[in-house]
Amino acid sequence: MAVSHPTLAAIRFGYGLRPGEEPPADAEALLAQIEEGVSEKPGFPREGAAGRLENATRVLSVLAAEAKARRAGNPNEGIRRETQREVQRTYRLDAMARMANAIHSPLGFYERLAGFWVDHFSTSVLKALPMRMIVPLYEAQAIRPNIGGSFSKLLSAAILHPAMLIYLDQNQSVGPDSPAGRRNRRGLNENLGRELLELHTLGAGSGYTQNDVRAAALVLTGLTVDNRTLEVVYQPQLAEGGPITLLGRTYEDDEGDGQDHVLMLEDLAGSPKTARHVSRKLVRHFIADDPPDDMVEPMVEAWMRSQGNLTEVYRTMLSHPRAWAEPGRKIKQPFEFVVSGFRALGLPEKNFANLVSDLDDEDEGPVGKAMEMAGAAATREEARRKARRANALTLGALQRMGQPVWQPPSPAGFADEVSVWLSASQLSERIAWSRMIARTFGQKTEPSAFLEAALGDAARPETRQIVAQAPSKVHGITMVLASPEFNRR
């Protein structure tokens, strides 16, 4: 079945069709979204970058003071619980803001690219309590502003962010022969060096060795995070002296200013192996689980020709005939599925904001406390019911489906293969969610009109017939959301 370019552009390269929103006409319309998206500030962190840094460092100070008091035999459980509650609430509101960004933005391709790169350079809010405040900042600072420029700049911004250094334990790494290493017998941590080569640049099986992993980790020594300011700093007493040889190049820190890690990142970013690894991941994410070589190789050539200009790499991918052929080869990941469902229903920003407000009461927030004090038991129970529903439609749904926001299972990120997301339990969760959102927001929507809004000319005749024969509006909308073509792209 032929699907028009605008429909395929919205479904394959964005978060799906939305009533009243003109889908991108072609590849150039998709690429135009990047510059516009980079210039916009996301809805998270809610208090902005400066405000988040201030709040996060305050939380770190409180936690450090409470830990010190606990070691002295004077624990303050009340402060610890209140801090945990505050941090969890901040994370929850940021995660909802990230969903809102994807649902309401007309820049679907830019939003999808942001999701791709956040996953490529994975960090997790589960690493430590403060990371619930730092990881949203990481996406806003390191990823989103840099996805249209050079890969070298994006790589540097991602690797040299406190979120990455904390997540991969770089703040615990010490050169064995550094002054601190000799004095305290602290050791080298290879986590960041390994993932830098295996996941972020060259790729597994590209020919590097364990010696190269160790060399990369040694070059990175000296880099750590100042917990008082959440700044990445270089501490010479932690750094291994040169020379250090990695992939045939020797890094000696001739100037003594600790900039060898910058040179190493530039070298890795410019490698043809990095170009091939990342290009394959882009094709796997957007087009097919098994990336065709005839699509990947032109992207590698564009990468090398443009010195890693990512917009040129995207342009080459979108210019290939395979980019606009064989729709439905990829299955939507849970985040894509839920977001595209909200988009298809044309949910106004006000309605989603109401869900955010309802969910904010889930963890005994200030409104809930006021209700308890006033003795409004019935009102409080109603608020809890709304909070449960809001969670079930949003963050709870993603948790059940296996893709909670900013919580990848490992540094490798979330799986990007049909087999992982096409299981009986996954489909059962999607059908249950489809029924729930249809009951909540689709009671007045005609199923046939919804089918056109959600799928356009991508709808199969079989789906049209099933929807036309639906016994109720809720059932018809559920069938659209549960259909194979809505779950694929």
Side-chain angles (χ1 to χ4, degrees):
M1 181 181 67
V3 179
S4 67
H5 276 206
T7 299
L8 192 54
I11 294 174
R12 173 173 281 177
F13 299 109
Y15 281 116
L17 296 165
R18 181 179 173 90
E21 184 177 293
E22 194 70 25
D26 51 26
E28 288 304 313
L30 290 171
L31 292 168
Q33 295 181 10
I34 298 173
E35 185 176 355
E36 188 175 349
V38 165
S39 67
E40 292 184 353
K41 289 184 178 180
F44 57 89
R46 295 176 305 112
E47 66 271 47
R52 175 54 52 85
L53 275 172
E54 181 180 342
N55 285 333
T57 52
R58 174 181 54 79
V59 165
L60 284 166
S61 296
V62 170
L63 291 173
E66 197 283 323
K68 183 178 179 180
R70 194 183 331 124
R71 288 192 298 270
N74 300 305
N76 191 324
E77 291 297 320
I79 287 179
R80 188 169 63 85
R81 284 196 299 269
E82 188 60 35
T83 303
Q84 290 173 336
R85 187 178 295 117
E86 175 194 352
V87 171
Q88 185 62 22
R89 176 176 181 263
T90 297
Y91 159 72
R92 188 168 60 244
L93 292 174
D94 279 347
M96 290 291 280
R98 189 174 190 262
M99 288 190 70
N101 252 72
I103 292 167
H104 302 302
S105 174
L107 311 177
F109 184 51
Y110 171 78
E111 289 294 324
R112 283 282 305 285
L113 285 171
F116 170 84
W117 288 114
V118 166
D119 200 62
H120 180 77
F121 294 110
S122 277
T123 60
S124 174
V125 299
L126 298 182
K127 177 68 175 182
L129 185 66
M131 287 285 275
R132 287 164 173 77
M133 304 183 80
I134 299 169
V135 171
L137 182 67
Y138 165 72
E139 177 173 340
Q141 283 185 322
I143 304 299
R144 286 177 170 263
N146 296 306
I147 59 180
S150 71
F151 178 76
S152 180
K153 185 176 180 181
L154 174 59
L155 176 68
S156 180
I159 299 301
L160 303 180
H161 193 278
M164 184 65 74
L165 268 60
I166 294 170
Y167 179 54
L168 293 178
D169 302 314
Q170 181 60 31
N171 54 336
Q172 300 175 20
S173 186
V174 176
D177 290 328
S178 68
R182 291 193 300 269
R183 183 172 61 251
N184 301 324
R185 296 184 180 180
R186 293 169 63 190
L188 182 69
N189 189 297
E190 297 182 354
N191 287 356
L192 182 55
R194 178 178 297 104
E195 309 308 358
L196 173 64
L197 301 185
E198 179 180 337
L199 302 176
H200 304 146
T201 59
L202 306 177
S206 58
Y208 66 86
T209 67
Q210 173 56 32
N211 287 337
D212 293 317
V213 170
R214 181 174 176 81
L218 288 171
V219 172
L220 290 166
T221 54
L223 288 173
T224 189
V225 179
D226 185 335
N227 284 334
R228 296 167 301 173
T229 63
L230 270 181
E231 293 179 342
V232 173
V233 295
Y234 178 75
Q235 296 186 352
Q237 69 269 24
L238 305 178
E240 188 80 359
I244 301 169
T245 300
L246 168 66
L247 299 168
R249 171 161 181 176
T250 300
Y251 300 90
E252 301 194 53
D253 192 17
D254 296 333
E255 303 298 324
D257 57 359
Q259 292 300 299
D260 272 359
H261 63 275
V262 175
L263 298 175
M264 177 182 69
L265 293 177
E266 290 175 353
D267 290 341
L268 291 172
S271 169
K273 293 179 179 179
T274 296
R276 184 164 288 104
H277 172 60
V278 177
S279 295
R280 282 183 61 82
K281 282 194 69 173
L282 279 164
V283 176
R284 179 181 292 115
H285 179 71
F286 284 103
I287 311 298
D289 283 2
D290 187 15
D293 288 341
D294 69 340
M295 194 171 190
V296 173
E297 289 308 314
M299 293 169 65
V300 175
E301 292 171 9
W303 183 301
M304 302 308 295
R305 186 173 59 250
S306 67
Q307 298 184 316
N309 184 305
L310 291 172
T311 296
E312 290 307 308
V313 177
Y314 309 146
R315 187 187 309 277
T316 302
M317 176 180 72
L318 295 172
S319 298
H320 198 282
R322 287 182 184 265
W324 305 94
E326 299 182 74
R329 294 185 67 181
K330 295 288 296 185
I331 192 166
K332 292 177 181 176
Q333 295 178 355
F335 186 84
E336 298 167 26
F337 169 73
V338 170
V339 166
S340 61
F342 275 113
R343 283 179 58 81
L345 282 162
L347 192 74
E349 291 188 43
K350 179 182 177 181
N351 289 47
F352 194 82
N354 289 339
L355 288 178
V356 175
S357 179
D358 291 341
L359 188 59
D360 192 28
D361 193 36
E362 182 187 48
D363 194 29
E364 302 293 339
V367 175
K369 287 182 178 179
M371 287 180 180
E372 292 283 9
M373 292 175 66
T379 304
R380 180 61 183 148
E381 180 54 38
E382 174 65 10
R384 285 176 174 149
R385 185 191 67 78
K386 288 183 177 180
R388 288 193 295 269
R389 184 189 67 176
N391 183 60
L393 286 170
T394 56
L395 303 184
L398 295 175
Q399 185 80 44
R400 292 193 308 276
M401 294 180 195
Q403 197 179 29
V405 178
W406 293 312
Q407 296 180 38
S410 76
F414 291 103
D416 202 355
E417 300 165 351
V418 169
S419 59
V420 173
W421 303 114
L422 192 61
S423 65
S425 60
Q426 180 72 212
L427 294 178
S428 176
E429 289 290 353
R430 294 189 184 208
I431 292 171
W433 183 86
S434 299
R435 188 179 298 114
M436 187 187 313
I437 199 170
R439 286 175 179 159
T440 306
F441 295 113
Q443 296 276 7
K444 298 180 181 180
T445 303
E446 287 295 333
S448 58
F450 177 67
L451 182 143
E452 293 302 325
L455 291 170
D457 55 8
R460 300 175 306 152
E462 299 92 329
T463 300
R464 292 182 182 278
Q465 183 176 359
I466 290 171
V467 172
Q469 296 172 349
S472 68
K473 292 179 179 179
V474 168
H475 185 84
I477 291 169
T478 301
M479 290 300 97
V480 174
L481 294 172
S483 67
E485 56 267 53
F486 189 83
N487 282 265
R488 289 180 173 269
R489 53 172 172 77

